[in-house]
Amino acid sequence: MPSEMVTVRSNQEVGEDVFEMRLPSSVPAKPGQFYMLRREGSALLLPRAISLCNQEEDTLTFLYKVVGEGTAELSNMKPGDKLRLTGPLGNGWPLEELSGKRVLLVGGGIGIAPLLLAAKALRQQGNPADCCLGFPHQPFYQEAFQPDCGALSIATESGVAGHKGLVTQLFDPADYEIVLCCGPTPMMKAVVALCKAAGTPVWVSLENRMACGVGACLVCTCSDHQGKNRRTCKDGPIFRGEEINFDA
Amino acid sequence: MPSEMVTVRSNQEVGEDVFEMRLPSSVPAKPGQFYMLRREGSALLLPRAISLCNQEEDTLTFLYKVVGEGTAELSNMKPGDKLRLTGPLGNGWPLEELSGKRVLLVGGGIGIAPLLLAAKALRQQGNPADCCLGFPHQPFYQEAFQPDCGALSIATESGVAGHKGLVTQLFDPADYEIVLCCGPTPMMKAVVALCKAAGTPVWVSLENRMACGVGACLVCTCSDHQGKNRRTCKDGPIFRGEEINFDA
Amino acid sequence: MTLETKLLGVTLKNPVLMASGTFGFGEEYAGYLDVSRLGGICSKGLTLHPREGNYGPRMWETPAGMLNSVGLQNPGVEHFIRHELPGMRGLGPAIIANLGGGTIEEYVEGARLLNSAGIDILELNISCPNVKEGGANFGLKPAIATQVVSAVRKVFSGPMLVKLSPGAENIVEMAKACRQAGADGLSLINTLLGMAIDVEQRKPVFRNIAAGLSGPAVRPVALRMVYDVVRAVDCPVVGLGGIATWRDAVEFLLAGAAAVQVGTAVFQNPEAPLEIIDGLQRYMERHGFEHISDIRLKK
Amino acid sequence: MTLETKLLGVTLKNPVLMASGTFGFGEEYAGYLDVSRLGGICSKGLTLHPREGNYGPRMWETPAGMLNSVGLQNPGVEHFIRHELPGMRGLGPAIIANLGGGTIEEYVEGARLLNSAGIDILELNISCPNVKEGGANFGLKPAIATQVVSAVRKVFSGPMLVKLSPGAENIVEMAKACRQAGADGLSLINTLLGMAIDVEQRKPVFRNIAAGLSGPAVRPVALRMVYDVVRAVDCPVVGLGGIATWRDAVEFLLAGAAAVQVGTAVFQNPEAPLEIIDGLQRYMERHGFEHISDIRLKK
Ligand SMILES: Cc1cc2nc3c(=O)[nH]c(=O)nc-3n(C[C@H](O)[C@H](O)[C@H](O)COP(=O)(O)OP(=O)(O)OC[C@H]3O[C@@H](n4cnc5c(N)ncnc54)[C@H](O)[C@@H]3O)c2cc1C
Ligand SMILES: Cc1cc2nc3c(=O)[nH]c(=O)nc-3n(C[C@H](O)[C@H](O)[C@H](O)COP(=O)(O)OP(=O)(O)OC[C@H]3O[C@@H](n4cnc5c(N)ncnc54)[C@H](O)[C@@H]3O)c2cc1C
Ligand SMILES: Cc1cc2nc3c(=O)[nH]c(=O)nc-3n(C[C@H](O)[C@H](O)[C@H](O)COP(=O)(O)O)c2cc1C
Ligand SMILES: Cc1cc2nc3c(=O)[nH]c(=O)nc-3n(C[C@H](O)[C@H](O)[C@H](O)COP(=O)(O)O)c2cc1C
Ligand code: FES
Ligand code: FES
């Protein structure tokens, strides 16, 4: 069932304010899809959208950052606690378009989460992607990427690890045939601009406040350059970067 | 501080839908007083009123029955979880009036909770009270009363233990100089009627929906026979049974 | 014992309908609950012409509620009839088309098209900004609301609900006026007007400043209005506003509602509508009720 | 940087006041928070004569809110002046006497007594059932509300707030009318009208059927009304309705409120008012605001 009460398997801090939660599920999902999570008896009305970070057999792994009340509530959950899990939702990365191409994955902060399964899928196709991950300070979860990437480079703004600076300084999009990107909006804007200049197609995973997550309520729309609305939850969350008007 | 965040020490089921929760506190309380409890980040607006059942050194013990969402939320709490504890509140049993008297404690169901500390106080004064406890079915917590009572009798409606029938069939109020009673309203009404007939003074611990718990909001009023309002939280929860109009 | 009931002559499997704007055109949710079990579905609010809706943020969470500023984004009545309605029809539940507009003419044209489209019920949403009157809501004053209702009544011959705004100056007067202007039934409430300010960015969250409040937070207000309206008019009333559990639905049925709608609650739990139907059934069994209308408070 | 501010000429330590009916006469809460740190305290709603209030259940919890039907239980104005006011005075915060009534004469007599009693501010609660008009609320129509306000204005010479009901047919028109009738400032909102039905007992919870809804649930509605009223009148506005955290208080100050009141939130957390004061201080420091009035949205 794509909406059910499930029991938390594990939930632990893996970086500063960053948690990894494992939940059971037997429904197969595509890399880049997301789920809506809501604690049983939550004090909050709406579930929270979290991207699938990993899927092994019957276990889903989510990586999330505590930014407000909802994610704080999730972070307080203990094994055995119950939550409502709805999904998988959204379109997922365009894996069919990637086969045989030179692919670069660019992740910023918690935005690295939806990239891991893309890396795994490409590695399985025998076509591992290069991977550039940027963090404000201490990196996290990069060890999970290591085995599934080609070249892995790290940037940190504070300089505690890898290149001191922004992730956009780590790569030249002209070296790749396609780029997949997820991170804070300013970073995605910058990556899209670089790729556009280099003529390299780029796909981004967007975030937007959501209610239904299934395309019914129209609160999560973003705009393309023609001013047409796109539902982040249903038509996305993954869009061609060139199409999206980040300033709408 | 009489309103503070505290950490659950233990919380376990001790009977069917009956839980015992232990919380830290160093503020001394009187037998018959109560506290307001609210889980940190609760989905519910208001705290729940729960009588103090036991107090040892710096540990408060509460005995509560799951009847709705709020008590269900409490029952799901685990050691280490936080809740806001406000109290002690209310007047407490009139211990000064009991000294040297033949005292009977009458408890029904979860209403036995506030009687335990009265039993202990009387035992310490060298004047142990007799105790009659009634339950619909399986008794609970009666072993906690055993060491601190004179005669202890049990009634169960289903007959699984003790006398098969109502607690009111266990005693004659004429044998006592004072009766303390807590239980469901119909039971307290019956006990008050028996005591009145026998001319034995009786004190009851009342329950009423509460918001502030400190006497400020006036939502918890009960009526005396003159139609005057009494605040259950502040003027009570313990009243002379003869004074209260149970049918108001 | 049966949950089956009639609303304005239309047979419903049960009295649980999905509220407009929260359930799209029904198919969006098809993978997440058994949509065929629902009593009915109100379409996303339609207007004669397609609309892109409002710019900027469209949603903000509030205690036990949410504010929305979708702004009637919809494909237009013709597109609906051609492309969405056939799919909706195939789902099973009764189809209620929710119609809004910016001018009376727009309402009338939309209703005329829907009149022969094969919908079960028309739900006229009068909580829309009146373009000609500087954006004031059609649903505030009876004099303006009745103009819309009676104009639409002339061109729409099927069963018609008028959906009331809780912002009406006097909800009971509004209900009576709409009934007299030709409504076969009334549904209420639409969203309450609310707003939010982002305290760190220091500006109102929504470009339009105000937005519509829905969810469990509004339920006590909705229930009071339904209770009052039921007692003032002689037509079926559909109750909604914050219904999330079967208990909530029963409150509205006790107040005298002929049916209920579930909106915001489906976001927190896609299975909520089915849990409500199941709970209602158990409630009726427990209390020995034969028909939905037996639930209603006596006296 | 200072939290000190003036309201109708009265100096407040900070703009956080306790709402009428939720804080008794201040002394009840004295053991549970440091009451002396508050900006001010609104007394329980007073009437000329003592009242026992409503019979039957007086409270029902709702999602993020509560319904109350206390019904103005209070010891009467004279008793207040003699017995409660001296204790209240000793607490430190500014004293706002909240006055209700069932007739205009009752309001006027009560206000006359309070005029020389040494209170800091009078808060006129016009959301009271009008005994002569079959119980219809004084606060719904400007024509009736202004009768009360101008009659009281004649006998009360100190600073006077008029507290508005969210049930007013048009809150902005009501605000303008009360201002013109002599209010020095306005406070809003009082409780929204709501109701609840006990689904197992199958009857309305409250004897009066309707009851007053308060708490975080109503905040988006209250904020919108405060925002609109601030922009329509030229006097200080005190904002309240569901304020539970410093963020909530800041929303109202950004909307243009001169001060805020905290009501229902104190029930869930007696320390909430002090946490709000502390949070407000940190907010002002973070944003470099000197005075409370600097917080207000520009433009
Ligand atoms: C498709 C999608 C995938 C996501 N994947 C992840 C992930 O894998 N890991 C992760 O840490 N975060 C992810 N997010 C972001 C995550 O949903 C937000 O951080 C979270 O909703 C914040 O909730 P809060 O209550 O802690 O914050 P608050 O700011 O208190 O939330 C208030 C409201 O705003 C919404 N909101 C706040 N920030 C965001 C945001 N960035 N995106 C969407 N809604 C927001 C909340 O859902 C809530 O309704 C994803 C978002 C989307 C839309
Ligand atoms: C002074 C006092 C002492 C109490 N001591 C104990 C105790 O030691 N152990 C115990 O198990 N229970 C005790 N109770 C009863 C306990 O407060 C209620 O069972 C509890 O509030 C029910 O909350 P709920 O959310 O589970 O139920 P719901 O029925 O969902 O509650 C809905 C609302 O009604 C109120 N409410 C419901 N039942 C009662 C009730 N019986 N009394 C007061 N408010 C009620 C709740 O607080 C809440 O606001 C006491 C009550 C009072 C007033
Ligand atoms: C996102 C959203 C969009 C809505 N769009 C419409 C609409 O187009 N037409 C309409 O009549 N009501 C619309 N509504 C109002 C709902 O149908 C309903 O009246 C309201 O939300 C109260 O019910 P609820 O609390 O169960 O959601 C919308 C509500 C929401 C939350
Ligand atoms: C139990 C209770 C009693 C109240 N009594 C009064 C009153 O006597 N006079 C008055 O003007 N407002 C009264 N109110 C309304 C509050 O002052 C306030 O306007 C309302 O509760 C909204 O604020 P809140 O959501 O912060 O509680 C009362 C509210 C509650 C909850
Ligand atoms: S969240 Fe409802 S349409 Fe995207
Ligand atoms: S609960 Fe507020 S006075 Fe008793």
Side-chain angles (χ1 to χ4, degrees), chain B residues 1-5 36 38 43-48 84 86-90 209-221 223 227-229 231 234 247-248, chain D residues 21-24 28-29 31-33 44 51-62 64-66 68 70 73-74 207 214-216 264 267-271 275:
Chain B
M1 281 288 295
S3 180
E4 54 181 343
M5 291 300 282
M36 298 291 268
R38 183 170 185 268
L44 303 168
L45 181 77
L46 297 173
R48 293 330 194 221
R84 175 166 289 276
T86 303
L89 300 164
R209 289 167 189 270
M210 292 181 177
C212 73
V214 304
C217 73
L218 308 182
V219 305
C220 69
T221 47
S223 270
K228 256 203 74 191
N229 285 326
R231 294 167 300 179
K234 177 82 178 177
D247 303 311
Chain D
T22 61
F23 210 67
E28 292 85 347
Y29 264 107
Y32 304 91
L33 74 164
K44 168 71 207 158
R51 294 201 189 189
E52 283 296 321
N54 293 335
Y55 292 102
R58 289 181 165 193
M59 197 273 286
W60 192 257
E61 212 177 339
T62 68
M66 60 179 268
N68 91 79
V70 169
Q73 180 185 336
N74 81 95
R207 294 223 186 150
S214 65
T264 301
F267 304 151
Q268 57 171 226
N269 175 6
E271 298 184 309
E275 291 173 6

Side-chain angles (χ1 to χ4, degrees), chain A residues 1-5 36 38 43-48 84 86-90 209-221 223 227-231 234 247-248, chain C residues 21-25 28-29 31-33 44 51-62 64-66 68 70 73-74 207 214-216 264 267-271 275:
Chain A
M1 279 291 293
S3 180
E4 54 180 345
M5 290 301 281
M36 298 292 267
R38 183 170 185 268
L44 303 169
L45 181 77
L46 297 172
R48 290 341 193 211
R84 177 166 287 277
T86 302
L89 300 163
R209 290 168 188 271
M210 292 181 177
C212 72
V214 304
C217 74
L218 307 182
V219 306
C220 69
T221 48
S223 271
K228 258 202 73 191
N229 285 325
R230 314 287 294 271
R231 295 169 299 179
K234 179 80 178 177
D247 304 311
Chain C
T22 62
F23 210 67
F25 298 105
E28 292 85 346
Y29 264 105
Y32 304 92
L33 75 164
K44 168 71 206 159
R51 293 201 189 189
E52 284 295 320
N54 293 335
Y55 292 101
R58 289 181 165 191
M59 197 273 285
W60 191 258
E61 213 176 339
T62 68
M66 60 179 267
N68 91 78
V70 169
Q73 180 184 335
N74 81 93
R207 294 222 186 150
S214 65
T264 302
F267 304 151
Q268 56 171 225
N269 175 6
E271 297 184 311
E275 291 172 7

